[in-house]
């Protein structure tokens, strides 16, 4: 039996805002930090890009905006998660711990030990691909929910 899932839409190639607007991104991170929010430069960039896109702009200049206004704009597309003190930073290259978990997912040892190396590699790729697809579908569904 074959299973049908909603096919993920191809992601458009994102511009490298980090190289184009390093001072803006540093300000976004600092402004969030001063208000008690931890945000990586990558996530801050995406939040600002979403905010700008929502106003039909590629990248809005914030040079004349107050920190309060910048923070308010950042929070419009953010999900705030309370984290315990001492939680390590998300590994470089991943936006969330969930992204990292999906990318490094392994089969349970009880199932992996009965497979050949070739079968294990194929199974590992298959479960990671399935998990990425499910995560993508969930994220798309959440982004459609009115806030």
């Amino acid at each position: 039996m074959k299973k049908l899932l909603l096919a993920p839409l191809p992601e458009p190639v994102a511009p490298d805002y980090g190289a184009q607007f390093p001072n803006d991104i540093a300000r976004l991170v600092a402004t969030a930090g001063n208000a008690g929010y931890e945000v990586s430069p990558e996530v801050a960039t995406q939040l600002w890009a979403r905010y700008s896109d929502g106003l039909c702009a590629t990248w809005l200049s914030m040079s004349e905006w107050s920190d309060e206004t910048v923070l308010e704009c950042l929070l419009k597309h953010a999900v705030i998660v309370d984290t315990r003190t001492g939680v390590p930073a998300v590994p470089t290259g991943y936006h969330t711990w969930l992204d990292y978990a999906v990318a490094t997912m392994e089969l349970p040892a009880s199932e992996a030990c009965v497979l050949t190396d070739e079968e294990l590699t194929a199974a590992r790729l298959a479960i990671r691909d399935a998990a990425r697809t499910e995560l993508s579908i969930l994220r798309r569904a959440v982004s459609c929910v009115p806030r």
Side-chain angles (χ1 to χ4, degrees):
M1 173 73 60
K2 296 179 182 177
K3 184 177 182 179
L4 294 178
L5 296 174
L6 183 62
L9 297 173
E11 297 289 329
V13 177
D16 186 6
Y17 293 126
Q20 294 177 28
F21 305 104
N23 294 335
D24 284 355
I25 294 166
R27 180 176 179 203
L28 292 169
V29 171
T31 299
N34 292 337
Y37 298 98
E38 180 184 343
V39 65
S40 69
E42 294 81 14
V43 171
T45 301
Q46 290 185 5
L47 289 171
W48 196 257
R50 283 187 187 178
Y51 178 74
S52 298
D53 186 57
L55 297 173
C56 299
T58 303
W59 185 268
L60 288 171
S61 171
M62 65 190 88
S63 62
E64 296 184 20
W65 295 11
S66 70
D67 285 350
E68 293 78 20
T69 301
V70 169
L71 181 63
E72 182 181 320
C73 296
L74 269 181
L75 294 177
K76 285 189 189 247
H77 295 281
V79 173
I80 300 168
V81 179
D82 286 326
T83 56
R84 294 186 329 249
T85 303
V87 174
V90 176
T92 303
Y94 300 95
H95 296 294
T96 67
W97 277 107
L98 189 54
D99 291 314
Y100 176 79
V102 166
T104 60
M105 183 177 289
E106 291 291 335
L107 284 171
S110 60
E111 292 185 34
C113 68
V114 298
L115 300 175
T116 66
D117 287 346
E118 188 174 289
E119 291 170 329
L120 180 58
T121 299
R124 184 181 294 133
L125 291 173
I127 63 169
R128 289 177 183 175
D129 186 50
R132 267 192 299 277
T133 299
E134 291 173 12
L135 182 56
S136 177
I137 291 167
L138 288 171
R139 284 182 170 153
R140 241 185 268 118
V142 169
S143 70
C144 294
V145 174
R147 293 184 180 135

